[in-house]
Amino acid sequence: MTDDPAARVPDEAGALTERVRQAIDGLGCSRREVARRIVMDPSKLSRSLNGGRRFTVAEIVRIADITGVDAGRLLGPAQRPAPPAATGPVAVPDGGRPLQIVRETVRLIAEHGFHGVRVADIAAACGTSTAAVHYHFPGRDELLEAAVRWCMDEDTARRAAGLATAADARGELLHLIALQTPRTDQQRRQWLVWLDLWAQAARSTAIGRLHEHYYRQWRTTVADVLRRGIDQGVFRDLDPEFTALRLTALIDGLATQVLATAPDSTGPDTMHDALLAFVASEVTAD
């Protein structure tokens, strides 16, 4: 059973869940942060810790990676997982092997597209074996979901940092617009991953749910900023939800043009100017 990383681990007496809970609590951080580090849906982690869902072997391996507790100890001697094929000593990178795999997956998807990336390519980029990649993320769909979730978490953290330092809601909105304009290599990589996500979301229910969750969160952030601006008097009296829908759709369309057209056509500066023009004409108070 445990030769398959995607297999659900039986835990009828709750002993495994208790061992995992103790290992996680020993980190001294929130469970949402733990979920971010192991690139797992926080609601899945919560349900698993509360007994409403069974962990997979791969999830236990990722938890063992960040907590420093041996996976065999977490699973128990009867369920010790088969280790990945050895390829010689390979140093575990800062942040742990799962995060390294996810970061390299993001980079490779941005360069070649999801369907142009093989697990062997990811393993080579990480200096490890394909078995080690499957040990943490059993399938390509799970890798795509983990890559997208990591991009979402990174994006959310950068948004929060900028919103906390802005002088008013107009400054917050300009910060959000700057974050979504693909100028840097990192911003371009994330947008290229989003393009693959959109295509995959049309075909995959699981990825579609992730896409829906992210966009609900993103539009809610924009709508909340607009509400604060109305209360502060820096934005006109408008419909925050509808305006957030219009603005995020404009961002998506312009970013797609920036990434898909020749450098001398629609560029980041043109995109940024168009978004500022929208804010000036449709949002800012007279």
Side-chain angles (χ1 to χ4, degrees):
M1 182 275 299
T2 51
D3 287 343
D4 177 7
R8 302 281 177 181
V9 184
D11 186 31
E12 294 180 5
L16 180 144
T17 300
E18 181 58 30
R19 289 194 294 270
V20 171
R21 188 181 294 114
Q22 290 177 6
I24 287 175
D25 289 346
L27 287 173
C29 60
S30 71
R31 290 180 179 175
R32 177 168 291 276
E33 173 62 16
V34 171
R36 188 193 71 80
R37 293 186 191 180
I38 62 174
V39 203
M40 182 179 178
D41 183 343
S43 65
K44 287 183 180 179
L45 177 62
S46 178
R47 292 202 308 275
S48 297
L49 290 173
N50 291 329
R53 174 187 178 275
R54 290 187 298 170
F55 285 104
T56 67
V57 174
E59 289 165 354
I60 294 295
V61 168
R62 300 206 296 271
I63 291 169
D65 187 274
I66 68 160
T67 60
V69 178
D70 181 75
R73 179 182 168 194
L74 291 177
L75 287 165
Q79 303 182 108
R80 182 176 294 273
T87 57
V90 177
V92 176
D94 291 341
R97 183 69 68 196
L99 275 180
Q100 183 200 29
I101 291 170
V102 169
R103 291 190 187 107
E104 290 302 320
T105 300
V106 168
R107 181 180 65 82
L108 291 169
I109 290 173
E111 292 177 2
H112 306 290
F114 179 67
H115 292 290
V117 177
R118 303 171 304 162
V119 173
D121 300 324
I122 298 167
C126 294
T128 188
S129 66
T130 57
V133 174
H134 287 305
Y135 197 56
H136 292 91
F137 301 98
R140 286 169 58 86
D141 284 348
E142 186 172 354
L143 262 175
L144 177 60
E145 180 177 346
V148 171
R149 186 171 297 284
W150 181 78
C151 286
M152 286 169 49
D153 288 343
E154 291 292 296
D155 194 37
T156 300
R158 283 192 296 273
R159 280 189 222 153
L163 295 181
T165 59
D168 58 16
R170 185 176 185 279
E172 293 179 10
L173 188 60
L174 296 183
H175 166 72
L176 294 178
I177 287 173
L179 281 181
Q180 297 302 314
T181 304
R183 296 185 187 278
T184 68
D185 289 343
Q186 181 179 26
Q187 287 171 322
R188 290 183 66 85
R189 279 195 299 269
Q190 287 195 314
W191 268 110
L192 288 166
V193 172
W194 297 141
L195 293 182
D196 264 51
L197 168 65
W198 291 340
Q200 197 72 9
R203 301 177 178 88
S204 166
T205 301
I207 298 299
R209 283 197 296 266
L210 188 61
H211 173 273
E212 180 185 8
H213 168 75
Y214 171 76
Y215 267 86
R216 186 186 306 116
Q217 180 190 70
W218 166 227
R219 283 195 293 265
T220 297
T221 298
V222 176
D224 288 345
V225 170
L226 294 172
R227 287 191 189 90
R228 284 196 290 276
I230 295 169
D231 293 341
Q232 293 169 3
V234 297
F235 295 154
R236 64 185 62 185
D237 187 13
L238 45 76
D239 182 336
E241 299 290 343
F242 186 58
T243 304
L245 175 64
R246 294 171 62 204
L247 179 55
T248 54
L250 182 59
I251 289 172
D252 290 344
L254 287 168
T256 302
Q257 290 185 43
V258 171
L259 295 168
T261 58
D264 59 350
S265 182
T266 305
D269 289 341
T270 303
M271 172 180 173
H272 193 254
D273 290 345
L275 293 172
L276 294 187
F278 177 89
V279 171
S281 65
E282 302 289 332
V283 178
T284 304
D286 296 330

